Amino acid sequence: MSKIETITPVHIGSGEKILCLKKDGYLYDLNKILRKEKLANNKVKLDKILEYGQKNNINMSTANFKEILALKDTDFTDDEKVCNDHYYAINSSDNINLFLIMKSMDKLILPGSTIRGWLNNLFFYYLLDSEPFVKNYVIKNIKTLEKRNNILTNIERTIAPFKQFLMVNDIMIDTNPHVYNLIRYTNGKSKQTKSDTIPGGNVEMIPMNFTINSKIYDLNISEFKTLIEVMKEKHLKAIRENKNKYPEEKEVLAISIEKFTYFLKNLNQIVKETNKKHMKYVINKEIEYLQKTANKKVKVSELMIFYNSVLSKLDNDEIITQIGKYTNYFDKSMLFILEDVYQEKFKSIFTPNREKTSPIISSMNLINDDCHQYPLGFIKITL
């Protein structure tokens, strides 16, 4: 049986957020509370509401401001709790937006798409790392990456039929989410914010040090070995006979099919080796931020111990990676393997946002828990 262990909290966002009210350490769903109050037709004096709002510096929309603040002394029921049996320790009392985690039938899930994305990323890193011809072709045609129809998307389409042999399902997680107050630590005070921290909000997360025992993927190689070979020859023939593509591109696509079928046959070993290369680069970039940051609120020494322990585990062939939201952009890309070209073209092609002009980490999302700081999304995978 495979397993996934969360080293630090993980947020697989659903894209949803709800308004909550904090009371006695629990969060209560304001939509449920408001429905009850409206049905009861409760009224509260405006001066009392405004006084409470000013005192607590709560920035709410005008539409809900009066109704929400009127509920401060209300006795809430368990049905209105965001989670009925978990104590929520939240550092911030003035932010009542709660960013939700992915769930299915009120159970936390680790979506199969998250693991598929990780494996897909590793394949492209492995392809570019092991095939100089493909890497040089991508570099030669680097400007086309600005377009939707480029060599990488063509490779993706070419290997897509073979992905049916690698089944990755959603994994149910038998625990309640923890809620953490997320803070983004910048490299000293910025001109825009005049601050060295940016509030990230209250975020539901899979708790740290939690083990998920589950089959991570189904790999039907032995059962479909003959079919895979037949499909491979069929697709290679179609590429060779395609008169609409240049010989170099056809060679790249043919190599991609060969490498992906080899990737499937040797998945565990290739994942372990490729993930090590990928993550050591990522970790060293995060260490660079810690070495250079002028932000005194970042616990540099503590985090350096953490990152060095991760590097040690990678050297011992453990599969440590980062998943979910609020990790850095290096986790989500394999194109830094293009080295000098990645540096040169970062601003025009690879930047994750318009403000970032060079491939350095200039801020870090961290959560504070029991006087410690943790980066997000670190997991250990045992295949």
Side-chain angles (χ1 to χ4, degrees):
M1 177 67 73
S2 303
K3 66 180 179 180
I4 296 174
E5 301 167 73
T6 59
I7 301 173
T8 63
V10 176
H11 176 73
I12 310 293
S14 66
E16 300 175 290
K17 66 178 179 180
I18 59 174
L19 292 174
C20 298
L21 196 64
K22 180 185 175 186
K23 185 175 181 180
D24 300 328
Y26 284 89
L27 290 181
Y28 294 85
D29 187 337
L30 279 171
N31 286 329
K32 292 182 180 179
I33 296 168
L34 285 173
R35 281 196 294 270
K36 183 187 75 174
E37 296 296 322
K38 286 178 179 178
L39 287 173
N41 199 29
N42 290 335
K43 301 291 182 182
V44 180
K45 290 183 179 180
L46 180 60
D47 56 353
K48 185 177 179 181
I49 297 167
L50 294 177
E51 180 185 350
Y52 179 77
Q54 291 168 356
K55 181 180 177 181
N56 291 275
N57 193 29
I58 297 179
N59 183 19
M60 299 299 301
S61 65
T62 305
N64 292 326
F65 186 74
K66 299 175 184 178
E67 294 173 302
I68 290 171
L69 296 181
L71 303 172
K72 72 183 184 72
D73 295 321
T74 302
D75 290 327
F76 306 131
T77 65
D78 283 349
D79 289 341
E80 293 153 357
K81 283 182 182 177
V82 174
C83 184
N84 193 40
D85 58 354
H86 181 76
Y87 184 82
Y88 284 82
I90 302 173
N91 298 328
S92 172
S93 60
D94 59 354
N95 188 338
I96 57 176
N97 279 323
L98 177 63
F99 295 89
L100 302 182
I101 201 169
M102 288 282 285
K103 298 185 184 78
S104 177
M105 296 179 290
D106 291 328
K107 286 283 189 181
L108 299 189
I109 61 168
L110 180 59
S113 58
T114 297
I115 301 299
R116 280 195 299 272
W118 170 64
L119 290 171
N120 200 58
N121 214 27
L122 288 183
F123 167 71
F124 274 93
Y125 189 99
Y126 164 70
L127 175 66
L128 296 173
D129 186 46
S130 62
E131 289 293 338
F133 182 84
V134 177
K135 182 178 178 180
N136 290 333
Y137 185 82
V138 172
I139 291 173
K140 180 181 175 182
N141 294 275
I142 197 71
K143 289 186 177 180
T144 66
L145 296 186
E146 297 174 331
K147 303 175 182 178
R148 179 173 294 181
N149 188 27
N150 59 62
I151 185 57
L152 295 180
T153 56
N154 288 343
I155 292 173
E156 183 70 53
R157 292 191 200 103
T158 301
I159 64 174
F162 297 91
K163 291 186 178 182
Q164 64 181 296
F165 302 106
L166 181 60
M167 301 297 296
V168 185
N169 299 314
D170 294 345
I171 299 172
M172 304 297 290
I173 304 173
D174 190 20
T175 187
N176 292 314
H178 285 211
V179 174
Y180 295 93
N181 186 245
L182 180 71
I183 299 175
R184 183 180 172 191
Y185 292 83
T186 61
N187 188 18
K189 293 185 178 181
S190 67
K191 294 180 180 178
Q192 291 82 4
T193 63
K194 307 296 183 183
S195 175
D196 50 12
T197 59
I198 301 172
N202 297 317
V203 183
E204 281 190 326
M205 298 189 190
I206 304 170
M208 61 193 300
N209 300 321
F210 184 78
T211 300
I212 306 162
N213 291 301
S214 178
K215 184 182 287 186
I216 297 173
Y217 52 72
D218 288 310
L219 188 58
N220 302 316
I221 291 296
S222 57
E223 185 178 351
F224 296 104
K225 184 177 180 180
T226 302
L227 177 59
I228 291 172
E229 288 301 315
V230 170
M231 283 180 59
K232 184 173 78 171
E233 292 305 317
K234 176 184 174 182
H235 284 272
L236 289 174
K237 181 181 178 183
I239 290 170
R240 288 193 294 267
E241 294 176 353
N242 190 333
K243 297 180 180 179
N244 296 321
K245 295 188 182 298
Y246 292 109
E248 278 188 316
E249 183 178 0
K250 292 199 286 187
E251 180 67 15
V252 166
L253 298 179
I255 290 172
S256 300
I257 288 178
E258 294 281 6
K259 296 298 285 190
F260 191 74
T261 53
Y262 184 80
F263 179 76
L264 290 176
K265 293 174 185 176
N266 302 275
L267 188 66
N268 288 7
Q269 186 59 35
I270 293 174
V271 162
K272 188 178 292 184
E273 293 171 354
T274 306
N275 183 75
K276 179 192 290 191
K277 292 181 181 179
H278 183 275
M279 284 305 297
K280 286 183 80 169
Y281 181 93
V282 169
I283 298 301
N284 283 319
K285 280 291 182 182
E286 299 201 15
I287 286 175
E288 280 183 23
Y289 165 80
L290 294 175
Q291 291 172 334
K292 296 177 181 178
T293 184
N295 194 328
K296 301 300 182 183
K297 296 177 182 177
V298 176
K299 298 182 179 180
V300 174
S301 298
E302 180 180 295
L303 290 167
M304 286 292 288
I305 292 172
F306 170 80
Y307 281 115
N308 282 318
S309 73
V310 173
L311 289 175
S312 178
K313 290 176 181 178
L314 290 168
D315 284 334
N316 288 328
D317 291 332
E318 294 184 33
I319 301 174
I320 310 291
T321 190
Q322 276 180 287
I323 61 172
K325 197 174 179 183
Y326 305 118
T327 61
N328 73 67
Y329 60 92
F330 284 109
D331 293 302
K332 303 170 178 68
S333 174
M334 73 293 166
L335 291 177
F336 55 74
I337 198 172
L338 300 180
E339 299 163 344
D340 291 346
V341 172
Y342 183 78
Q343 301 272 344
E344 294 166 8
K345 300 293 182 180
F346 184 84
K347 182 179 179 180
S348 59
I349 299 177
F350 302 114
T351 181
N353 59 63
R354 292 179 182 178
E355 295 177 0
K356 186 171 285 296
T357 59
S358 61
I360 60 172
I361 297 175
S362 55
S363 63
M364 186 175 284
N365 291 313
L366 299 169
I367 57 103
N368 296 278
D369 183 53
D370 294 331
C371 300
H372 298 290
Q373 284 183 338
Y374 299 100
L376 281 296
F378 276 91
I379 62 171
K380 175 184 175 181
I381 296 178
T382 304
L383 299 174

